[in-house]
Amino acid sequence: MMNGRQTVRNARDLAEVLRTATRPVEIVIEGSVEGVPPLTLPEGVSLVGAGGGAALVFDGTDGVRLTRDNRVEGLRLETAPTARALLNDTSVSGFGTLELREVVTVGRVELLARDQVSSGHVLVTGLDIEAADARECRPRPEGYNVEVRQGAFTLYNQRSDSSAVITCELTGISAGREGAPVRGSGIFVSGTPGGGRVSGDRLHTGPVFSDGGIPAGTPDQITGGVFVVYASFGEVVNEGPVTTYGVNDMVLDLWGEVTTWTAHAPITSHGPSGIGFVNFGTIRRLTLRAPVETFGTGARGFNVYDGTVERAEFDRVVTHADAAVGIQLSKPIGDLIVHGGIETHGGSGDSLVKGEIVTLPAVPLSLKPGSRARRIRIDSGITARGAGVPVMEISGSIEEFAVNGPIRSAAARA
């Protein structure tokens, strides 16, 4: 029976230490260990890398299975992108605290509350998922006539009972590379409506690049670069850029509750119907300090479909394709401020709206029936460059409205 601190340099010694580690032990991985079979960390056991070259390389199988009160730190875990580099044992009643610190993976990170798991806390401080593919993962949460594909990082409470609660603090999570995105969603956190809950003080992300791999013409599936589904956070902060590439790939998406959501780097989508920020939930304050820019047909910049936002503040919103509305409100909000203006370049075309394909003009500012804003202020003007596209469509109400800058449209010039 081993306890304390054990150093291993090969797969055989690692298996032996795990076999005999019946008490808390810190296993130190020295160098790159290849040909590692799937392994399970007993309760209280930690895996720690000794230096920058510390790695466990699996043969395309699932990698490290966590049980209860485990820590993985300073380690690279490498397997097939479709496999799980890190996962948890769902046969335990609660997983205590699972801690990931400065971990790099090739392969998915999947932490679930289902089967016997009814409680636990997830603490992430630095997680870089270089490559992962979650396109085939199920189940997928459903709502608003669509289902959401899981992510390279997935924290998902699937329990049907509301007493099952997972808490978390997630910081420094990155996924994908520019031009080499993860497949499926990027960062995905969800509970179950009326059932298991996920809540956290913080969700902080670094650079995220994702491509959901949804076939063109599919109206009932979506993904998100960072997607807070049925979950709640005190704050969400995007420290790095978030970029999506595929069909129906939202960049930032909320179905849950967030007190403050702040982005410090560009929010960009390249695919059809890839909205920059889409809200179905509740946000007290949304602040995007860098541009929101979309390039795909029907890819709106900012959309409040449901729920509400007390205050939304943007650096700039620009869309480049047909049907790509700049900002669209369908529900009441508080204040909306755009410092660098709203600009659209496209005409009319098809866009995904609540699971249906509809035709929209690329209007810079659209308030649908039932929408209401306490105050809207657009600095640096509003521009619609598409032929026949009006600058605004106002079917809702605005208590106080100001546009500081030019109002330009091809329709007006025609």
Side-chain angles (χ1 to χ4, degrees), residues 1-8 17 20-21 25-29 46 48:
M1 181 168 59
M2 295 187 178
N3 54 61
R5 184 180 175 94
Q6 304 291 328
T7 299
V8 300
V17 170
T20 57
V25 62
E26 182 176 275
I27 301 173
V28 179
I29 306 299
S46 300
V48 179

Side-chain angles (χ1 to χ4, degrees), residues 79-343:
T79 186
T82 54
R84 297 170 291 185
L86 279 160
L87 65 154
N88 67 297
D89 183 352
T90 60
S91 69
V92 299
S93 61
F95 51 64
T97 296
L98 301 181
E99 182 177 0
L100 309 179
R101 186 179 295 272
E102 302 305 328
V103 174
V104 178
T105 75
V106 172
R108 299 184 288 117
V109 176
E110 179 189 84
L111 302 174
L112 306 178
R114 69 179 187 195
D115 302 327
Q116 300 304 311
V117 176
S118 60
S119 64
H121 181 70
V122 176
L123 177 60
V124 176
T125 310
L127 171 63
D128 182 8
I129 303 173
E130 290 185 358
D133 188 341
R135 287 176 290 179
E136 300 303 319
C137 296
R138 284 177 171 77
R140 298 168 176 168
E142 297 180 353
Y144 311 103
N145 300 318
V146 298
E147 60 182 24
V148 184
R149 291 189 172 188
Q150 294 185 31
F153 174 87
T154 291
L155 174 58
Y156 191 2
N157 188 341
Q158 299 174 9
R159 293 289 297 266
S160 61
D161 51 314
S162 60
S163 62
V165 179
I166 302 300
T167 59
C168 60
E169 184 167 335
L170 311 175
T171 59
I173 304 180
S174 301
R177 297 292 185 268
E178 186 173 6
V182 295
R183 309 306 303 276
S185 291
I187 313 303
F188 168 108
V189 182
S190 186
T192 298
R197 293 173 289 156
V198 177
S199 64
D201 292 331
R202 284 176 286 277
L203 169 58
H204 291 193
T205 68
V208 176
F209 303 92
S210 66
D211 183 338
I214 297 171
T218 304
D220 59 352
Q221 295 182 29
I222 64 173
T223 71
V226 178
F227 208 138
V228 177
V229 196
Y230 299 113
S232 62
F233 283 94
E235 66 175 30
V236 177
V237 179
N238 307 118
E239 300 285 0
V242 184
T243 304
T244 64
Y245 294 90
V247 175
N248 303 350
D249 288 349
M250 315 304 154
V251 188
L252 308 177
D253 203 328
L254 174 67
W255 290 9
E257 297 181 1
V258 170
T259 303
T260 63
W261 191 318
T262 306
H264 294 286
I267 303 303
T268 309
S269 77
H270 294 276
S273 295
I275 302 173
F277 193 110
V278 57
N279 183 68
F280 286 90
T282 301
I283 311 175
R284 183 173 300 171
R285 183 166 187 142
L286 171 66
T287 308
L288 304 190
R289 302 188 186 279
V292 175
E293 191 165 14
T294 74
F295 293 89
T297 300
R300 300 180 290 287
F302 173 56
N303 215 147
V304 178
Y305 276 131
D306 207 343
T308 190
V309 181
E310 290 188 18
R311 180 183 174 90
E313 187 173 356
F314 293 84
D315 172 73
R316 178 170 170 77
V317 177
V318 182
T319 72
H320 292 271
D322 293 345
V325 176
I327 292 178
Q328 187 172 78
L329 308 179
S330 298
K331 295 292 182 179
I333 68 165
D335 295 347
L336 170 64
I337 300 170
V338 184
H339 295 288
I342 308 171
E343 183 174 345

